[in-house]
Amino acid sequence: MSKRTLFQFFHWYSPGEGILWNEVAEKAGELSALGITDVWLPPAYKGASGAKSVGYDTYDLFDLGEFDQKGSVATKYGDRNALEKACKALNDHGLRPIHDVVLNHKMGADEKERVVVRRVNSDDRTQIEEDDIEALAHTRFTFPGRSGKYSEFIWDKQCFSGVDVIEEPDETGVFRLLNEYGEGQWNVEVDDEMGNFDYLMGADVEFRNRAVYEELKYWGRWFSEQVPVSGFRLDAAKHIPAWFFKDWVGHMRDTLGSDLFVVAEYWHPEMATLANYLDLVDSQLMLFDVALHHRFHEASKAGAEFDMRTIFDGSLVSSIPEHAVTLVDNHDTQPLQSLEAAVEPWFKPLAYALILLREQGTPCVFYPDLYGANYSDAGDDGSHQEVQMPLIGCLPRLIEARRRFANGVQIDRFESPNVIGFVRQGTDTDPGCVVTMSNGDAGNLFLELGPDQANTAFVDFLGHHDAEVTTDQHGRGDFPTNGGSVSVWVCRNVL
């Protein structure tokens, strides 16, 4: 499994009622046969909204769908027993479970506490007022439904750096908690958006509290003893001090092994920012290629007006490919979500070819693109909207093509603003392929593949183009593509 291929096995609107863990177990064999190697699972623990929680409103990290808390025993995705069966099924089929870790904040406190806070300018978090305000805040987490099983740690006002709601006086906004840590200032080594982007939502975890620091390391060890763990996706990394994740990832590698896969969600399009973050965490993890996702979004909107020669400009995969996880869409960018920048369906085959069939980066496939999704929600204007995300019909073949034909040295042909392509030359034992695509009219690329490919017939593995290309005595040939389409040309005799 040298060619890692991730699959995000959920989206924001995945069905509830405990369906997902069972679906993971049912589809494990199918995904493995297709060529998926790693499966990114949603947060497995109880959220503040109980059985309706997508998982990012973290309440109790130790409740994996086992305790009657927040109105249910099971999470949205199922109970603990179903989670264990899902992870075992992945392992049984040679797939590596990647778990979503949300450590930045807690929500749904069990009790209020009397606290002292200072108001913060929401647009510039470095502007903290000097006046102290005594108030009540939702900062005490006792987890009564769990009764101390697995951990007796009680979270209180010393465990958090900020909140967004206070009572007596009743206000909403951003408030810096005054406690023993930070001398009233936010954490450093976080993103500088809004001056300092330590605070995101809920009760913001105070990582400078040594007891909190140790509890989160303990939870990582505990979790890895409950279910198979091959890696983690770290949520909201831009809001968490880099020094913490440097330590936490290092600790988990010491616990689970140096091959632990870790990708952080540092949602930022600027290469300099991502490179700086990698330096701060000693390059111990990978990052999602936000800039490339945005290029895909822009290209899908612009059509033939987009210059395909620039598709990788400013991307992480073009600069630091060994730390890039490439994606087309995810649960935050899909329609009606917080970072909505969905890639139009017509362009997704081109985008997936560009992440699945190239040497650089580790690609991640999104659930709705493989299986489709239908859902409804309120739009920005408050109106009810129905959304259909169609499955991408050629995506299974593209994933299979990655497994079978994305081999050998890569040669790019990015010379036309609309028709581009690349060659994977293959190896002594594994065949290669020729990829051609156009975001405009139909076209072709004249390619010299070398004498080893002389007088060889090629066909489109995706079935998009019905031509058969036969190279001449020197291994040269014209490889076509339909307009607004992609073709993956492979030797007919290897099919």
Side-chain angles (χ1 to χ4, degrees), residues 2 74 97-98 151 163 191 208 229 235 237 245 248 258 358 361 372-373 428 459 463 473 476:
S2 58
I98 308 297
S151 171
V163 293
D191 195 77
R208 291 169 294 198
V229 174
D235 184 64
F245 270 147
W248 192 86
S258 60
R358 294 174 63 78
D428 291 340
V459 294
Q473 60 185 355
R476 300 174 303 192

Side-chain angles (χ1 to χ4, degrees), residues 357-429:
L357 302 180
R358 294 174 63 78
E359 280 186 279
Q360 299 83 7
T362 298
C364 184
V365 176
F366 189 32
Y367 182 102
D369 293 335
L370 190 59
Y371 294 115
N374 300 299
Y375 58 89
S376 61
D377 201 352
D380 289 339
D381 59 0
S383 65
H384 181 80
Q385 298 185 27
E386 298 282 341
V387 175
Q388 291 187 336
M389 295 185 68
L391 61 83
I392 307 306
C394 66
L395 185 52
R397 293 287 272 182
L398 282 168
I399 298 170
E400 182 183 353
R402 173 174 173 80
R403 175 173 59 83
R404 295 176 60 185
F405 307 118
N407 303 304
V409 173
Q410 177 178 295
I411 300 173
D412 289 340
R413 287 289 301 275
F414 285 30
E415 296 161 8
S416 160
N418 297 121
V419 179
I420 63 169
F422 55 92
V423 178
R424 297 299 302 273
Q425 291 189 315
T427 67
D428 291 340
T429 56

Side-chain angles (χ1 to χ4, degrees), residues 322-359:
E322 65 275 17
H323 288 286
V325 172
T326 51
L327 74 161
V328 176
D329 269 323
N330 72 7
H331 63 291
D332 285 326
T333 69
Q334 71 183 101
L336 304 184
Q337 272 309 293
S338 58
L339 300 172
E340 180 177 346
V343 176
E344 296 293 327
W346 77 269
F347 191 77
K348 285 188 175 183
L350 285 70
Y352 272 112
L354 288 168
I355 69 172
L356 286 168
L357 302 180
R358 294 174 63 78
E359 280 186 279

Side-chain angles (χ1 to χ4, degrees), residues 242 246 272-284 287 320:
K246 181 178 72 171
T273 298
L274 298 183
N276 179 64
Y277 183 75
L278 287 171
D279 287 341
L280 290 173
V281 296
D282 287 347
S283 298
Q284 292 187 79
L287 298 173
I320 316 178

